[in-house]
Amino acid sequence: MNDETREAAQETAQQPPIVRLAKVNKHFGNLHVLQDIDLEVVPGEVVVIVGASGSGKSTLIRCVNGLEEFQSGNIEVDGNELLPYGKSGKSLQTIRTEVGMVFQQFNLFPHLSVLDNVTLAPIKVRGWPRDKALQTAHKLLERVGIQDQAAKHPGQLSGGQQQRVALARALAMEPRLMLFDEPTSALDPEMIGEVLDAMRTLANDGMTMMIVTHEMGFAREVADRVIYIHGGQIVEQGPPHEVLDNPQNERTQSFLSRVLKH
Amino acid sequence: MDVTFQFDWQAAIDSIPFLLEGIPWTLLISFGGLAIGFVIGIVFGLLRINPVRLLRWPAIAYIEIFRGTPVLVQVLFIFYGLPQILGGPINALTAGIAAIALNAGAYISEIVRGGVQSIEKGQREAGLSLGLSRPQAFRYIIWPQALRRMIPALGNQGIVSIKDTSLFSVIGVGELVRQGQIYIATTFTALEVYFMVAMLYLVITLSLSYALRLLESRGLVGQ
Ligand SMILES: Nc1ncnc2c1ncn2[C@@H]1O[C@H](COP(=O)(O)OP(=O)(O)OP(=O)(O)O)[C@@H](O)[C@H]1O
Ligand SMILES: [Mg+2]
């Protein structure tokens, strides 16, 4: 991380958070998946969440856009509140229109063309006229380098291309926050770079991002903060050079030594 | 015993005009019943997977009852039984369409359920994460995909229901079999006439199969 970005991060740290989790607890039956999670993310911040399989990373970010309910605590996204047991009313919908998500398995709509994948939500949710939605879609597809594929269906694209379409689809809603759940884990190695490049550009443009990933190089380069989760708890967090290069917690150390060996 | 018999082609051909008069009725009962059955199937298929238990169980009861009893009994019940409750006769065509609708509706409910449940959970989540409401996610994302997957099974149900209408000769509606029976009563050419009746069913069902295969080859089915 260079000085400039660090300064920027410190500057943003003064702003009120866009995401605030307070004492969030989540259970799957007897499994206590998230334990008293307190977390704040400020606008423009890139937070990378790392941790072992089953530690609760996906659950954590899925709570932020209400794909998972939680049982106690409270989550606030850009002033809209999510309450336990999905009793959030209208604010859930508001949050979802303002929070984009990219999934490990892309989850593109296979029956729609690439273009329709990207324009569906702006038209149906934002009520944009078709022209405007199309214009935005073309711009976004160009930005992620797949303007030539607009008429194709997702099944005709490579994994890397599909994930970039998924990114464009989420960005089309002009989100204030982007969630990524292992966006490159389902990709062949040679396609990981193109997706990370697109995400890097997005981060440089100032997007607020919460990213679950095992790409430690990427985290070191792009993250303002790295959070290590273990057993549903935030065990350690800080700038990447601290958490990744000089972890204080024993668990973080052993996790990283396992991950970085690969 | 004299086993030599003659298939009288002339008799078979002669019966065609009279048999053809039954085809509109067969088609009307089949496709009328199937169209209504499709609507029933969508409604009850979706109720069947509704998270609200109170809505699920009537759907389960309907499906089990109409899949678990013969369509012949259903149509007899409607045509001869129901008038005693309603206090007036039911026309045979209405009874036939109702029986196909209710019977096919039960099977189509299960087809709908299977189709909708076969769509990966991630599809809905992707839709919701974009801000679509649940009904929107269903309408624009889940249903179109489910429908494509359902088409082969729906076609199969169509063929079954078309053949089921042959049973409705018992309530006197002038469909294909009934026409055959009437014709045979005066000509005594059962062999030739039932052969022709079978051929006419085949023409209908093969046409449907062919139409479905066309749909499939155009990529409108499956995925
Ligand atoms: N729908 C569910 N029902 C029951 N248990 C679940 C469910 N989803 C997740 N879990 C459990 O909750 C725990 C946390 O899951 P989560 O998916 O958040 O982990 P993760 O950190 O994302 O792991 P991974 O790196 O494998 O994706 C795991 O033990 C998992 O088995
Ligand atoms: Mg996960």
Side-chain angles (χ1 to χ4, degrees), chain A residues 62 93 96 108 110-111 124, chain B residues 123 125 128-129 131 136 140:
Chain A
R62 287 162 57 85
Q93 185 90 13
R96 284 177 176 164
L108 290 178
H111 60 301
K124 301 301 176 192
Chain B
Q123 289 290 308
E125 290 183 348
L128 295 180
S129 80
Q136 282 179 323
Y140 299 116

Side-chain angles (χ1 to χ4, degrees), chain B residues 28-83:
Chain B
L28 183 60
I29 299 171
S30 307
F31 289 99
L34 283 166
I36 300 168
F38 186 53
V39 175
I40 294 177
I42 292 173
V43 172
F44 283 82
L46 296 182
L47 286 179
R48 174 76 182 73
I49 47 180
N50 198 287
V52 183
R53 188 179 309 176
L54 219 63
L55 293 174
R56 267 199 322 259
W57 79 252
I60 294 171
Y62 159 71
I63 292 166
E64 293 301 341
I65 288 168
F66 283 90
R67 276 198 318 179
T69 55
V71 67
L72 178 58
V73 176
Q74 290 164 13
V75 80
L76 290 172
F77 182 89
I78 294 169
F79 187 66
Y80 293 111
L82 268 193

Side-chain angles (χ1 to χ4, degrees), chain A residues 8 41 51 76 99-100 105 176 199 202 221 243 254:
Chain A
V41 179
E76 219 181 285
V99 177
Q105 303 296 338
R176 306 253 291 125
M199 292 171 61
L202 190 62
E221 183 193 345
V243 177
S254 84

Side-chain angles (χ1 to χ4, degrees), chain A residues 28 31 33 51-60 68 104 181-182 212 214:
Chain A
F28 280 120
L31 196 64
V33 193
S53 178
S55 57
K57 308 179 296 291
S58 299
T59 309
L60 173 62
E68 298 287 353
Q104 182 174 351
D181 192 359
E182 302 200 31
V212 175
H214 294 298

Side-chain angles (χ1 to χ4, degrees), chain A residues 15 17 21 36 58 61 80 114 139 148 172 234 236 245 254 256-257 261:
Chain A
Q15 300 180 38
L21 284 81
D36 278 331
S58 299
I61 64 167
N80 301 288
V114 164
K139 239 181 268 166
D148 308 336
I234 295 177
E236 185 162 359
D245 299 332
S254 84
L256 287 172
S257 70
K261 244 181 247 160

Side-chain angles (χ1 to χ4, degrees), chain B:
Chain B
M1 195 178 151
D2 185 6
V3 289
T4 61
F5 63 83
Q6 278 270 306
F7 187 92
D8 185 347
W9 281 103
Q10 194 54 49
I13 291 164
D14 287 346
S15 71
I16 289 177
F18 192 78
L19 294 181
L20 285 179
E21 285 175 35
I23 291 224
W25 296 97
T26 294
L27 292 179
L28 183 60
I29 299 171
S30 307
F31 289 99
L34 283 166
I36 300 168
F38 186 53
V39 175
I40 294 177
I42 292 173
V43 172
F44 283 82
L46 296 182
L47 286 179
R48 174 76 182 73
I49 47 180
N50 198 287
V52 183
R53 188 179 309 176
L54 219 63
L55 293 174
R56 267 199 322 259
W57 79 252
I60 294 171
Y62 159 71
I63 292 166
E64 293 301 341
I65 288 168
F66 283 90
R67 276 198 318 179
T69 55
V71 67
L72 178 58
V73 176
Q74 290 164 13
V75 80
L76 290 172
F77 182 89
I78 294 169
F79 187 66
Y80 293 111
L82 268 193
Q84 293 188 13
I85 301 174
L86 300 177
I90 290 178
N91 132 329
L93 177 65
T94 311
I97 291 176
I100 292 294
L102 289 167
N103 187 263
Y107 285 95
I108 293 172
S109 299
E110 286 294 271
I111 295 171
V112 167
R113 175 173 79 105
V116 169
Q117 285 182 333
S118 77
I119 305 301
E120 303 67 29
K121 175 165 130 293
Q123 289 290 308
R124 183 167 175 275
E125 290 183 348
L128 295 180
S129 80
L130 287 165
L132 295 172
S133 65
R134 280 189 231 192
Q136 282 179 323
F138 181 79
R139 175 166 167 212
Y140 299 116
I141 297 166
I142 296 169
W143 181 250
Q145 296 184 59
L147 191 58
R148 285 175 202 208
R149 291 191 190 172
M150 281 156 49
I151 285 177
L154 288 173
N156 195 45
Q157 181 57 43
I159 288 172
V160 168
S161 290
I162 288 168
K163 294 186 297 177
D164 278 350
T165 62
S166 66
L167 297 165
F168 300 169
S169 56
V170 296
I171 59 169
V173 58
E175 45 65 66
L176 251 175
V177 171
R178 179 73 182 161
Q179 289 298 102
Q181 289 170 336
I182 296 171
Y183 191 81
I184 292 165
T186 55
T187 62
F188 306 102
T189 49
L191 174 68
E192 290 78 5
V193 173
Y194 282 131
F195 176 79
M196 286 317 295
V197 167
M199 288 302 114
L200 289 173
Y201 275 110
L202 257 185
V203 169
I204 299 173
T205 54
L206 287 178
S207 308
L208 183 59
S209 297
Y210 179 72
L212 288 170
R213 218 162 312 134
L214 265 187
L215 271 183
E216 263 175 78
S217 68
R218 292 192 188 164
L220 294 174
V221 181
Q223 288 192 354

